[in-house]
Amino acid sequence: MRKYLFLLAAVLCLTACRSGGKPMETPKDQLVHRLFSYAEAGVIAYGHQDDLSYGHAWRVTDWENDPLERSDVKDVSGHYPMVLGFDLGGIELADSCNLDGVPFGLIRKAALKHIERGGIVTFSWHPRNPLTGGDAWDVSSDQVVRSVLKGGDKYADFLLWLRRAADFIESLGPETPVIFRPWHENTGSWFWWGEKLCSADEFRELYRHTWLYLTQERKLTNILWCYSPGGPIPPQVFLQRYPGDEFVDILGTDIYEFVGPDGLEESRVRFAGQVREMLTTLNSLATEHHKLMCLSETGLEGLPDPLWWTEGLYPAIRDFPVSYVLTWRNAHDKPGHFYAPWKGFEGAADFKEFSEKEEIVLL
Ligand code: BMA
């Protein structure tokens, strides 16, 4: 009941903000307040990557005419996820589809449709390696970040990449607030912007350069900026590469469960412990820095644990002011690569139970 009363209050507030006598909030302010109000009310929005564009063994093909009503999450819970994630990887080269084969036209249409339905949209970005021409995971050189900063050989080329990312976000319209989460998982070393691939100064400059170009040069005021290293990490490591309060609205973290040789239950307990440890850190940093917090990516690939949602994820997050939690994508073309259940999946009941918890909100 709590979540329904809360959602009703949120809708009434939104209507009042739009029409009422007090000064109009910007679309970004509205989303910031909405996410803060989730945290204050003790509810957590559930999100899923690429949910409207494809799912387990299906995908949207004729996207211009498709009503975008299919969703694995809706198939098993009756609701769309509240947060919808997309990846911009490929936009930098003006590709027509992203790195997972989703047309950018479909991403734009699905993002706008989801927001029109009352949902929230977030973008991650796995851009190619601007120095080697490889992908985001090409860590063969530790000169890449340096090469795109002022004075570097790839500075001009990279500016064009930023321009293309900005063009896409701008194309959604100034009234459409979105969460942008560039340079994620940067305290690991699997992306070219990772810890061992650049100094802390270079990383901060990369993030700030991105922020400055999009917000100052291009004047995109509809972006909520999320900084999300992988977790768990101690607060001093989180802060080592933190770009600064001016450049960040949401403190996030990406934490996945990996099943170890000790089995499902032990792995679940370990995962929940890691999530709690990191959310404790984020909670104190977010309070100190007056920021929102989220679990920007999580999941257990293939969901081999039938109790992952109710016994793993839920107890790990429920006591924290997490605005949203997002599980990763359900690939349409790799049968075992999914992070949310789908119609016919035998573990779907546990997700449905999770989705009906008082603290968890879907659309
Ligand atoms: C990874 C996997 C990849 C995918 C990438 C970007 O975690 O899901 O298959 O290409 O994310 O979406």
Side-chain angles (χ1 to χ4, degrees):
M1 199 59 192
R2 164 158 78 162
K3 75 179 170 188
Y4 299 109
L5 287 174
F6 164 74
L7 286 173
L8 182 66
V11 169
L12 291 174
C13 161
L14 214 64
T15 319
C17 293
R18 281 195 185 130
S19 60
K22 54 183 174 174
M24 294 286 274
E25 289 186 306
T26 66
K28 172 173 172 170
D29 292 340
Q30 284 179 12
L31 183 52
V32 167
H33 291 155
R34 178 171 168 189
L35 292 171
F36 267 122
S37 69
Y38 285 172
E40 278 156 19
V43 297
I44 301 172
Y46 168 71
H48 186 217
Q49 185 77 0
D50 280 347
D51 190 78
L52 291 182
S53 24
Y54 60 84
H56 182 79
W58 66 271
R59 73 186 167 119
V60 168
T61 45
D62 179 14
W63 64 264
E64 282 171 85
N65 296 306
D66 195 291
L68 304 183
E69 281 166 358
R70 182 143 186 210
S71 147
D72 279 352
V73 167
K74 183 163 174 260
D75 276 350
V76 299
S77 71
H79 296 273
Y80 293 111
M82 183 64 90
V83 177
L84 182 49
F86 295 104
D87 199 273
L88 297 183
I91 200 81
E92 67 280 0
L93 294 185
D95 290 347
S96 58
C97 294
N98 83 351
L99 77 170
D100 298 315
V102 187
F104 283 107
L106 167 54
I107 295 180
R108 181 184 298 107
K109 184 177 163 184
L112 291 171
K113 168 69 83 184
H114 186 67
I115 289 170
E116 188 189 302
R117 287 178 180 147
I120 295 167
V121 164
T122 175
F123 292 113
S124 50
W125 190 19
H126 290 83
R128 308 286 222 296
N129 183 316
L131 187 60
T132 65
D135 60 22
W137 292 266
D138 178 354
V139 291
S140 58
S141 165
D142 61 4
Q143 296 301 308
V144 188
V145 172
R146 181 180 298 186
S147 78
V148 302
L149 299 175
K150 223 172 214 138
D153 289 349
K154 296 290 172 187
Y155 180 77
D157 292 355
F158 187 67
L159 211 50
L160 177 61
W161 286 20
L162 291 180
R163 196 177 96 199
R164 288 174 173 147
D167 287 348
F168 181 82
I169 295 177
E170 191 174 47
S171 76
L172 298 168
E175 299 301 313
T176 306
V178 292
I179 299 165
F180 186 38
R181 194 169 65 86
W183 319 127
H184 65 302
E185 297 176 15
N186 62 312
T187 53
S189 296
W190 45 86
F191 296 129
W192 57 257
W193 55 89
E195 192 196 7
K196 293 200 172 69
L197 290 310
C198 58
S199 70
D201 280 345
E202 285 166 349
F203 178 81
R204 277 193 293 269
E205 209 180 319
L206 173 69
Y207 198 106
R208 290 172 187 166
H209 179 44
T210 308
W211 187 94
L212 282 166
Y213 178 75
L214 269 72
T215 66
Q216 307 285 295
E217 183 87 13
R218 298 294 298 270
K219 311 225 176 309
L220 299 180
T221 53
N222 56 330
I223 302 175
L224 275 70
W225 291 78
C226 179
Y227 174 67
S228 68
I233 47 171
Q236 61 275 20
V237 177
F238 187 96
L239 291 173
Q240 247 159 30
R241 287 170 186 242
Y242 181 60
D245 284 347
E246 196 189 330
F247 309 97
V248 175
D249 301 292
I250 310 179
L251 308 184
T253 189
D254 293 2
I255 306 180
Y256 285 85
E257 177 176 330
F258 296 95
V259 178
D262 47 355
L264 289 179
E265 206 172 317
E266 292 298 319
S267 303
R268 183 206 302 150
V269 169
R270 192 166 43 245
F271 163 75
Q274 289 173 346
V275 170
R276 269 195 294 271
E277 179 189 332
M278 190 59 194
L279 294 183
T280 304
T281 299
L282 281 193
N283 195 10
S284 53
L285 288 170
T287 307
E288 203 178 308
H289 294 253
H290 309 291
K291 301 294 176 193
L292 292 155
M293 63 185 265
C294 68
L295 184 51
S296 36
E297 277 182 41
T298 190
L300 169 62
E301 187 183 29
L303 292 168
D305 179 352
L307 297 175
W308 188 75
W309 301 93
T310 55
E311 299 283 323
L313 183 64
Y314 172 67
I317 60 176
R318 72 171 163 215
D319 297 326
F320 294 95
V322 187
S323 297
Y324 74 91
V325 49
L326 179 138
T327 54
W328 204 240
R329 67 196 197 100
N330 286 8
H332 62 87
D333 52 353
K334 297 181 196 167
H337 193 52
F338 61 88
Y339 294 86
W342 33 273
K343 202 182 196 161
F345 177 65
E346 66 271 17
D350 188 58
F351 175 76
K352 185 154 171 41
E353 196 182 324
F354 166 83
S355 73
E356 287 165 357
K357 297 279 185 197
E358 208 184 11
E359 297 90 345
I360 306 298
V361 289
L362 285 80
L363 194 56

